[in-house]
Amino acid sequence: MKKFNFRKVLDGLTASSPGSGSSSGSNSGGAGSGPLHPGGTAGVLREEIQETLTSEYFQICKTVRHGFPYQPTALAFDPVQKILAIGTRTGAIRILGRPGVDCYCQHESGAAVLQLQFLVNEGALVSASSDDTLHLWNLRQKRPAILHSLKFNRERITYCHLPFQSKWLYVGTERGNTHIVNIESFILSGYVIMWNKAIELSTKTHPGPVVHLSDSPRDEGKLLIGYENGTVVFWDLKSKRAELRVYYDEAIHSIDWHHEGKQFMCSHSDGSLTLWNLKSPTRPFQTTIPHGKSQREGRKSESCKPILKVEYKTCRNSEPFIIFSGGLSYDKACRRPSLTIMHGKAITVLEMDHPIVEFLTLCETPYPNEYQEPYAVVVLLEKDLIVVDLTQSNFPIFENPYPMDIHESPVTCTAYFADCPPDLILVLYSIGVKHKKQGYSNKEWPISGGAWNLGAQTYPEIIITGHADGSVKFWDASAITLQMLYKLKTSKVFEKQKVGESRQSCEIVEEDPFAIQMIYWCPESRIFCVSGVSAYVIIYKFSRHEITTEIVSLEVRLQYDVEDIITPEPETSPPFPDISSQLPSSRSLSGSTNTVASEGVTKDSIPCLNVKTRPVRMPPGYQAELVIQLLWVDGEPPQQITSLALSSAYGIVAFGNCNGLAVVDFIQKTVLLSMGTIDLYRSSDLYQRQPRSPRKNKQFITDNFCMRGLSNFYPDLTKRIRTSYQSLTELNDSPIPPELERCKSPTSGLSTRTPEAAPGFYRNDTPGVRQRNQVHHLPDHVNGHCTSPTSQSCGSGKRLSSADVSKVNRWAPGRPPFRKAQSAACMEISLPVTAEENRENSYNRSRSSSISSIDKDSKEAITALYFMESFARKNDSTISPCLFVGTSLGMVLIIPLNLPLSDEQRFSEPVMVLPSGTFLSLKGAVLTFSCMDRTGGLMQPPYEVWRDPNNIDENEKTWKRKLVMNSPSSSQEIGDHQYTIICSEKQAKVFSLPSQTCLYVHNITETSFILQANVVVMCNSACLACFCANGHIMIMSLPSLRPILDVNYLPLTDMRIARTFCFTNEGQALYLVSPTEIQRLTYSQEMCDNLQDMLGDLFTPIETPEAQNRGFLKGLFGGSGQTFDREELFGEATAGKASRSLAQHIPGPGSIEGMKGAAGGVMGELTRARIALDERGQRLGELEEKTAGMMTSAEAFSKHAHELMLKYKDKKWYQF
């Protein structure tokens, strides 16, 4: 059998024949692309469209990471550079400075960061990780890199201390030993303080790990060592012996010095603070339990929770600050984590929302032997970073300029818009700034180090995040920064459940019923639309004015399934029933449908949430225009929404789920279409199927992802994305019956299967009884006339249920029997099936988790929607408004929209929505659509120009809707073609419209599936960007679908990535890398080259402040610290070499990275050469300056020698 004959026969029958894939080239990986038709339209396309994008335009690299560091463990601050470092459990380090200075770096081992130490004002950072390795980071470059690493082999690191302006790092270990590391060479010194020499010989127990190390502010030659069991040793480094020892019964957690070096304070595990004096080490000078209950004299105070850290900071003009975390009483189990500030006799307890990980006190001076003068406290919590102002008595917090509250509620979805209208950012910020919290400190943010400039990239970018609590946040993401603009709370349109009220079982999720599931935003018209996990859609319009109004809501029944084989019983029904049975009752219109559930009867026509019925005050910003809710049907909950699209120009919103499609007119507040997916094929379906409510299929309800909480919903989304259901039937391009053409209703005639089988209607007045064969749309043929649901207006505050205005259709007898849903490979009709399609069908059956054979039920979900001016039917001569519908079976249906011509009629005349019978097919679930004109330019959907709906200006009363139509509509362009790009989870195709010829097809993947795909603009040209589940990012040119880039970027390790990954224009993309962080990346070579200029500088040249003059007496009697030479004591000449088996030195790639200058790609070599030349020129310049200085010194010396010679030349020896 010749494939050519079949293809020729099917050319007029379908736009994408099953054998079309065989004519495209394929590579070894199973992906191929190529034109299906070498001549005709494809040839014209090749001649007219010149593709300019090549692989040189693309490169993948990470740009910046926003949000709070996930699972923080360590904190450090440079008091001179004023930059902050945060270490995490995953081995990441975030370095923060002034707004815009935000750097992320990662340990390759992924080991948790235990401690961080800045080399103050040196542009370097030391990190200690849980794999017992020390790392030295170079911060003098925009991308920090590791210069050296030191791996301890036999001991575990517990504590590190680096004295100010010292190059020797003290390292304490779990065995109780203290080692010393040279920071410059990162080599271990031979000087070791062994634990058995530090404690007394009479001590019989091991003191435990080292928990504290610090040198004395009074004498740098003395080291204070704290052990876990309560022992403190004051070690003389020169004499190598313990000068004094301190013992306490309770374990030690932290120690801090008084700036004079005569006293130190310890925090203990019983909630006590002990103050010790070096002159009397036998017992503490003072012991207090700040939060313990006062006891009678002679009795020990009540023990409290451990004080994990204490800091003892002095002030010149006031009492010292004692700041500690923990230490609360055990009897207050409900108390939140707290930070206590003791200043004189005043004790202030600051309760935190999350557990405290670490805190640091910021002081005016970096010198430990001066008055510290604390001015702020940085508190690192498990999920937040706050800074407390100590200069004010009420201790307010600073307003955090970093986007640390992305995870305030878990992020459930994201959207990314690049090059959006420039006025949007200012407008959103002006509205959002009015709702900011008050009470912050009036001083500037104290972490102000680094330098940042705007860079060359100036186009506006906006990121939108949806959250589990129903909130939506708009962020300004321009120039690789992130700042929150505006916050919208969608839950405000619903009634809150009263405290103590038993939860009704109408909700389909146990937790987070308001979680945002999908986002659709039209920046030009400023219309915003969200869908929630409780099967609802909310449409918002933007206004600068506050209003008080009732919220309009609609209710839609959308519950369909497919009978296996149904033979209709011969029964008769009147052709036209009583019209009263078809009209909605007043009770139904009022929305009072919850009485069914309260009586314990099967829940039916009940929404999951209750919309507020009273007038609601809506502040300026986004205001709810319409709420659409799916209803329970015969005890079955509504399925969650899987696709969402909106057109501001048409005034229509469409959404779908695994049951079907709903189309709503949000201008007239009416339901235009509520139809099962299978019914969309009716006009061209050779074999008819019976819709029913899925009462028999209880297994599907228990397994469905929409019946679970938000925490279980996202993992189950994998099944939905991966599952490609087997085909239900073959479709043809048959003409539309005359009855359908005659009717003007948006849903009229949809129940008509064939011209010979006209539907009949019957009446069922029994409440609570489900009718057997339900098609939930309006019966329009009443008394021979056509009616439309758009004639029913919806008043404010009323809920219109499409179920109440629709009744049940039963097919007339004599129709052909229904058959079971089958795959294309098992159809009774003979179709040419290629070997490739056989593989596809077998793959779909084998990989589906819910289908083991063709006898199992399958559901076809709506997975993609797209509004565009296009050709609704094959060989149409004019374009018209259309809705593209993509399903999980890879089917694409084009539904024309018949809109009123004039602007006045749009508010009164009905909108007609009728499936055209036009369809296209792909392999796998459809993900995205886009259209191009014949010149290769990307066509944007039409939109309405924004107008404030609440503007009271009289001049605006006559203002008409201003529409921007981006598609050709003149008669001169009737013969022009339009090219439609469709991408599914397996392949991409380009069709020519209106001929519906498949020009190009590219099988993207065979072993995996596409998670996210989008048509984006790069360098004024369109391309298709895809993110695959195996971690590959792929770019294909358009319209030829030629692969340009394929990079193995990131494996899909978490469903969070699949849920939040999104592409946008100008080579930008993002995803949620952790529950608290957004990772942005670019696939643009130009941005990769310019990224170095866009990043902030962590290190800026600043002179170290001079130490205060100690005075003559303090210098004379203040100790010998000023004459201490660590180099002489710890150097190899005196201390010798350390054992090689103790630690291993690992050279880092820092020097190489510094030379690279974070440049890469084609410009990398040139950048490295330029940097090397700059460094060489700098060295030559320094050498030249030194040479000139030496010459000047030599000339001066020669001159003085000559003068001295002349002075004594004539003198005798006895004259000297």
Side-chain angles (χ1 to χ4, degrees):
M1 183 178 296
K2 297 182 180 179
K3 295 181 181 178
F4 175 80
N5 295 335
F6 278 105
R7 286 187 57 194
K8 188 172 182 180
V9 170
L10 294 175
D11 183 57
L13 181 64
T14 179
S16 57
S17 67
S20 61
S22 61
S23 61
S24 63
S26 62
N27 55 21
S28 58
S33 63
L36 291 184
H37 302 281
T41 309
V44 175
L45 181 66
R46 292 193 200 96
E47 293 176 3
E48 294 185 356
I49 299 180
Q50 299 295 328
E51 296 180 3
T52 59
L53 294 179
T54 62
S55 59
E56 296 179 355
Y57 287 87
F58 297 92
Q59 182 184 351
I60 301 288
C61 70
K62 296 179 181 179
T63 55
V64 68
R65 182 172 293 198
H66 302 297
F68 181 76
Y70 184 55
Q71 295 180 333
T73 56
L75 185 68
F77 182 73
D78 188 327
V80 179
Q81 289 289 324
K82 295 189 181 302
I83 57 176
L84 187 76
I86 301 174
T88 70
R89 193 173 300 172
T90 59
I93 298 177
R94 286 281 293 280
I95 304 174
L96 305 172
R98 67 175 67 249
V101 178
D102 187 345
C103 181
Y104 167 84
C105 43
Q106 174 75 41
H107 293 91
E108 292 184 0
S109 63
V113 178
L114 298 179
Q115 195 175 354
L116 296 171
Q117 285 277 320
F118 273 105
L119 278 67
V120 177
N121 205 25
E122 294 292 337
L125 175 71
V126 176
S127 63
S129 53
S130 60
D131 60 352
D132 307 311
T133 306
L134 298 173
H135 304 277
L136 178 63
W137 294 83
N138 178 20
L139 306 184
R140 291 179 178 249
Q141 55 194 55
K142 294 188 176 183
R143 294 279 194 178
I146 295 176
L147 295 173
H148 303 281
S149 297
L150 188 65
K151 169 73 173 175
F152 281 74
N153 299 322
R154 295 185 295 182
E155 298 190 55
R156 308 217 61 181
I157 300 173
T158 56
Y159 195 86
C160 297
H161 170 64
L162 181 65
F164 179 54
Q165 293 182 329
S166 171
K167 68 174 184 179
W168 297 96
L169 175 71
Y170 300 107
V171 181
T173 66
E174 193 176 30
R175 293 186 179 181
N177 302 326
T178 302
H179 300 274
I180 301 171
V181 179
N182 188 319
I183 290 296
E184 294 179 350
S185 60
F186 236 59
I187 297 177
L188 208 60
S189 170
Y191 192 107
V192 182
I193 305 174
M194 304 300 292
W195 68 271
N196 54 356
K197 293 183 179 180
I199 65 174
E200 287 185 317
L201 296 176
S202 60
T203 305
K204 297 181 180 180
T205 58
H206 191 279
V210 175
V211 295
H212 178 81
L213 290 169
S214 62
D215 55 339
S216 171
R218 187 181 183 188
D219 187 353
E220 295 177 353
K222 307 293 176 60
L223 185 67
L224 193 69
I225 308 173
Y227 294 95
E228 189 180 49
N229 71 340
T231 302
V232 180
V233 177
F234 194 53
W235 183 265
D236 190 335
L237 294 170
K238 281 188 175 181
S239 62
K240 298 182 180 180
R241 65 178 181 85
E243 186 171 305
L244 62 88
R245 297 179 178 90
V246 168
Y247 297 98
Y248 194 70
D249 295 337
E250 298 294 336
I252 292 177
H253 285 278
S254 68
I255 304 175
D256 199 19
W257 279 100
H258 188 279
H259 83 277
E260 293 180 350
K262 298 178 182 180
Q263 297 176 345
F264 61 88
M265 182 176 288
C266 302
S267 67
H268 300 276
S269 58
D270 63 345
S272 64
L273 296 174
T274 56
L275 185 63
W276 299 82
N277 196 318
L278 296 181
K279 293 182 179 181
S280 57
T282 55
R283 61 174 183 171
F285 175 73
Q286 182 181 352
T287 302
T288 58
I289 301 180
H291 295 294
K293 292 183 179 179
S294 59
Q295 302 287 347
R296 295 180 181 177
E297 295 183 1
R299 296 184 60 185
K300 186 179 179 180
S301 300
E302 179 189 14
S303 296
C304 295
K305 296 178 182 179
I307 295 179
L308 302 178
K309 184 178 181 179
V310 64
E311 291 203 349
Y312 188 23
K313 304 300 179 184
T314 56
C315 301
R316 186 181 300 275
N317 300 320
S318 65
E319 296 291 330
F321 280 89
I322 300 175
I323 305 171
F324 61 88
S325 61
L328 295 179
S329 177
Y330 280 106
D331 63 351
K332 298 179 180 178
C334 298
R335 289 287 293 273
R336 295 187 293 180
S338 64
L339 183 77
T340 304
I341 302 175
M342 299 174 62
H343 188 212
K345 296 182 179 180
I347 300 178
T348 304
V349 179
L350 304 178
E351 292 189 343
M352 305 296 171
D353 295 331
H354 310 284
I356 297 175
V357 176
E358 176 70 285
F359 74 89
L360 286 174
T361 306
L362 309 186
C363 302
E364 296 289 350
T365 176
Y367 295 94
N369 57 356
E370 298 177 357
Y371 282 101
Q372 298 300 290
E373 302 293 346
Y375 60 90
V377 179
V378 180
V379 187
L380 178 64
L381 308 178
E382 279 191 358
K383 295 183 178 180
D384 201 0
L385 176 72
I386 65 172
V387 181
V388 181
D389 186 359
L390 295 179
T391 62
Q392 301 183 38
S393 58
N394 58 341
F395 303 126
I397 65 172
F398 290 88
E399 185 178 3
N400 197 329
Y402 311 126
M404 294 291 183
D405 57 345
I406 293 176
H407 62 286
E408 183 179 11
S409 175
V411 178
T412 56
C413 60
T414 59
Y416 194 4
F417 299 87
D419 204 8
C420 51
D423 60 331
L424 271 178
I425 292 179
L426 183 60
V427 168
L428 290 172
Y429 179 78
S430 62
I431 297 295
V433 74
K434 299 177 183 178
H435 305 286
K436 281 192 174 183
K437 297 179 180 179
Q438 305 297 325
Y440 291 110
S441 173
N442 54 8
K443 294 191 175 182
E444 293 184 359
W445 180 253
I447 306 169
S448 56
W452 178 77
N453 54 5
L454 189 60
Q457 180 186 352
T458 56
Y459 54 84
E461 300 174 71
I462 292 179
I463 294 174
I464 304 177
T465 55
H467 299 265
D469 63 350
S471 62
V472 178
K473 295 180 180 180
F474 293 76
W475 306 84
D476 177 12
S478 306
I480 68 171
T481 61
L482 195 69
Q483 180 184 7
M484 194 173 80
L485 299 173
Y486 174 73
K487 182 178 179 179
L488 173 66
K489 296 181 179 179
T490 63
S491 60
K492 288 187 174 181
V493 304
F494 300 106
E495 296 284 359
K496 291 183 179 180
Q497 186 178 4
K498 297 181 180 179
V499 180
E501 180 183 349
S502 60
R503 179 187 294 269
Q504 286 192 351
S505 57
C506 296
E507 296 183 1
I508 59 177
V509 290
E510 296 178 357
E511 55 183 14
D512 299 319
F514 307 112
I516 303 299
Q517 193 173 356
M518 303 185 75
I519 291 173
Y520 192 93
W521 188 42
C522 179
E524 291 81 9
S525 64
R526 303 184 187 178
I527 294 182
F528 183 66
C529 185
V530 297
S531 68
V533 74
S534 297
Y536 63 83
V537 173
I538 308 177
I539 301 172
Y540 290 88
K541 287 188 176 182
F542 188 84
S543 174
R544 298 176 183 268
H545 304 280
E546 178 180 321
I547 60 171
T548 300
T549 182
E550 295 184 354
I551 301 174
V552 183
S553 65
L554 288 174
E555 296 176 350
V556 179
R557 292 171 67 97
L558 195 62
Q559 194 81 5
Y560 289 84
D561 203 352
V562 181
E563 287 281 6
D564 292 343
I565 298 178
I566 298 179
T567 302
E569 299 176 1
E571 57 183 72
T572 59
S573 59
F576 300 109
D578 184 5
I579 192 171
S580 62
S581 65
Q582 310 297 333
L583 297 178
S585 63
S586 60
R587 183 190 64 83
S588 299
L589 281 175
S590 66
S592 303
T593 57
N594 292 335
T595 55
V596 180
S598 62
E599 297 174 0
V601 190
T602 302
K603 293 183 286 295
D604 185 64
S605 301
I606 303 175
C608 299
L609 302 172
N610 295 322
V611 179
K612 292 180 179 179
T613 55
R614 62 183 182 277
V616 178
R617 186 188 70 87
M618 298 183 184
Y622 275 105
Q623 300 166 351
E625 174 78 6
L626 178 65
V627 180
I628 309 167
Q629 290 183 283
L630 296 182
L631 302 176
W632 287 67
V633 177
D634 297 327
E636 307 293 356
Q639 305 300 298
Q640 287 177 348
I641 295 169
T642 56
S643 57
L644 177 67
L646 179 142
S647 174
S648 60
Y650 305 153
I652 294 176
V653 62
F655 58 93
N657 58 13
C658 59
N659 287 327
L661 172 69
V663 181
V664 174
D665 182 350
F666 63 82
I667 293 180
Q668 300 185 27
K669 310 295 189 302
T670 56
V671 180
L672 302 179
L673 183 70
S674 174
M675 184 179 292
T677 310
I678 297 172
D679 290 331
L680 298 175
Y681 300 107
R682 294 299 181 182
S683 60
S684 58
D685 196 352
L686 298 180
Y687 290 85
Q688 304 154 4
R689 296 173 221 58
Q690 183 77 2
R692 67 173 175 86
S693 178
R695 175 175 294 181
K696 298 179 182 179
N697 194 4
K698 295 295 183 183
Q699 182 65 30
F700 178 80
I701 298 301
T702 59
D703 291 341
N704 198 283
F705 58 84
C706 70
M707 294 296 294
R708 306 178 184 177
L710 187 66
S711 58
N712 295 327
F713 163 66
Y714 295 117
D716 289 346
L717 193 58
T718 314
K719 179 196 295 184
R720 182 180 67 81
I721 295 179
R722 291 181 60 93
T723 303
S724 289
Y725 301 100
Q726 64 191 98
S727 301
L728 293 179
T729 181
E730 73 283 2
L731 303 175
N732 66 353
D733 197 16
S734 60
I736 299 177
E739 287 80 0
L740 301 185
E741 292 287 359
R742 253 194 331 262
C743 185
K744 297 181 181 180
S745 167
T747 54
S748 64
L750 297 180
S751 57
T752 304
R753 268 55 176 178
T754 59
E756 294 79 18
F761 303 100
Y762 76 100
R763 181 176 178 179
N764 188 344
D765 296 330
T766 306
V769 177
R770 179 176 61 89
Q771 300 164 356
R772 182 183 175 205
N773 304 323
Q774 293 186 357
V775 179
H776 302 297
H777 49 74
L778 203 63
D780 296 312
H781 294 279
V782 180
N783 296 329
H785 300 285
C786 295
T787 61
S788 171
T790 55
S791 59
Q792 301 289 339
S793 61
C794 178
S796 300
K798 302 292 185 178
R799 287 200 295 252
L800 290 184
S801 173
S802 65
D804 296 329
V805 295
S806 63
K807 288 296 178 177
V808 183
N809 299 343
R810 183 184 294 271
W811 302 122
R815 64 181 178 200
F818 296 99
R819 63 171 177 81
K820 189 179 299 183
Q822 302 181 40
S823 66
C826 303
M827 288 182 181
E828 299 172 341
I829 233 176
S830 176
L831 288 179
V833 180
T834 63
E836 179 180 349
E837 187 174 4
N838 279 326
R839 289 194 301 270
E840 175 185 350
N841 293 332
S842 62
Y843 174 78
N844 290 337
R845 287 193 298 272
S846 63
R847 76 167 180 160
S848 174
S849 59
S850 60
I851 299 175
S852 59
S853 68
I854 61 174
D855 294 331
K856 296 289 182 70
D857 287 338
S858 63
K859 284 205 171 187
E860 185 175 10
I862 306 296
T863 57
L865 296 167
Y866 181 66
F867 287 99
M868 176 53 75
E869 297 277 312
S870 185
F871 300 93
R873 298 175 180 84
K874 191 171 184 179
N875 298 324
D876 273 2
S877 58
T878 57
I879 62 172
S880 61
C882 294
L883 172 62
F884 287 76
V885 180
T887 73
S888 58
L889 297 182
M891 302 304 297
V892 177
L893 301 98
I894 305 177
I895 299 178
L897 310 173
N898 193 344
L899 301 174
L901 298 179
S902 65
D903 193 32
E904 293 79 8
Q905 292 177 344
R906 178 63 185 88
F907 294 91
S908 57
E909 295 296 324
V911 177
M912 288 169 282
V913 180
L914 184 65
S916 64
T918 301
F919 70 93
L920 310 168
S921 66
L922 287 85
K923 186 195 305 181
V926 179
L927 299 180
T928 188
F929 300 95
S930 191
C931 289
M932 301 175 67
D933 56 28
R934 67 175 304 160
T935 63
L938 190 63
M939 297 175 59
Q940 300 297 332
Y943 62 87
E944 178 187 2
V945 177
W946 175 76
R947 171 203 178 195
D948 196 329
N950 302 320
N951 198 338
I952 318 176
D953 190 355
E954 294 181 357
N955 296 329
E956 296 289 331
K957 290 183 179 179
T958 58
W959 194 89
K960 296 183 179 180
R961 297 176 69 221
K962 183 179 179 181
L963 305 182
V964 176
M965 315 299 286
N966 297 314
S967 55
S969 58
S970 64
S971 59
Q972 298 176 357
E973 299 177 292
I974 287 179
D976 290 348
H977 291 278
Q978 185 185 71
Y979 305 108
T980 300
I981 301 99
I982 309 174
C983 183
S984 72
E985 63 178 7
K986 286 292 183 180
Q987 65 179 192
K989 287 185 178 182
V990 176
F991 293 91
S992 174
L993 299 181
S995 65
Q996 300 182 8
T997 304
C998 184
L999 300 177
Y1000 296 96
V1001 60
H1002 177 65
N1003 296 316
I1004 302 175
T1005 178
E1006 292 291 346
T1007 58
S1008 185
F1009 58 97
I1010 302 299
L1011 291 170
Q1012 186 63 244
N1014 197 10
V1015 176
V1016 295
V1017 176
M1018 266 279 297
C1019 302
N1020 299 321
S1021 298
C1023 60
L1024 176 63
C1026 302
F1027 176 60
C1028 194
N1030 58 13
H1032 284 250
I1033 291 179
M1034 292 162 283
I1035 308 292
M1036 283 152 280
S1037 67
L1038 293 176
S1040 68
L1041 296 177
R1042 171 176 49 87
I1044 300 177
L1045 180 73
D1046 189 349
V1047 176
N1048 188 5
Y1049 172 74
L1050 177 72
L1052 182 62
T1053 56
D1054 198 321
M1055 200 58 207
R1056 182 192 318 107
I1057 300 174
R1059 190 176 73 245
T1060 57
F1061 199 103
C1062 52
F1063 295 97
T1064 189
N1065 297 331
E1066 308 299 336
Q1068 306 285 344
L1070 65 81
Y1071 60 93
L1072 202 68
V1073 68
S1074 73
T1076 61
E1077 295 171 292
I1078 289 177
Q1079 178 66 58
R1080 293 170 65 180
L1081 62 141
T1082 181
Y1083 48 92
S1084 167
Q1085 177 67 60
E1086 181 182 3
M1087 186 170 182
C1088 289
D1089 295 338
N1090 298 329
L1091 184 60
Q1092 193 74 4
D1093 299 330
M1094 300 172 64
L1095 296 175
D1097 293 304
L1098 297 175
F1099 178 80
T1100 54
I1102 301 176
E1103 292 186 4
T1104 303
E1106 295 183 358
Q1108 295 179 2
N1109 189 5
R1110 302 184 67 192
F1112 174 75
L1113 294 178
K1114 286 188 177 181
L1116 185 62
F1117 301 106
S1120 58
Q1122 297 299 317
T1123 60
F1124 178 66
D1125 188 0
R1126 293 188 180 92
E1127 181 69 32
E1128 180 182 352
L1129 187 60
F1130 302 144
E1132 185 177 339
T1134 305
K1137 292 183 178 180
S1139 174
R1140 292 186 177 180
S1141 60
L1142 183 61
Q1144 176 187 359
H1145 176 259
I1146 305 172
S1151 57
I1152 300 176
E1153 292 293 325
M1155 182 173 290
K1156 287 181 179 178
V1162 180
M1163 302 299 295
E1165 296 295 333
L1166 294 177
T1167 305
R1168 286 191 287 272
R1170 179 178 58 81
I1171 294 175
L1173 288 174
D1174 292 343
E1175 291 180 354
R1176 183 172 179 269
Q1178 184 178 357
R1179 295 193 191 99
L1180 289 176
E1182 293 175 357
L1183 181 61
E1184 185 178 355
E1185 292 177 0
K1186 290 180 180 179
T1187 304
M1190 291 176 64
M1191 290 179 64
T1192 304
S1193 300
E1195 290 177 358
F1197 178 76
S1198 176
K1199 181 179 179 181
H1200 290 304
H1202 184 68
E1203 292 176 354
L1204 188 63
M1205 183 268 295
L1206 294 177
K1207 181 178 180 181
Y1208 296 104
K1209 180 176 67 171
D1210 298 331
K1211 291 186 179 182
K1212 304 297 182 181
W1213 61 272
Y1214 52 82
Q1215 293 177 335
F1216 287 99

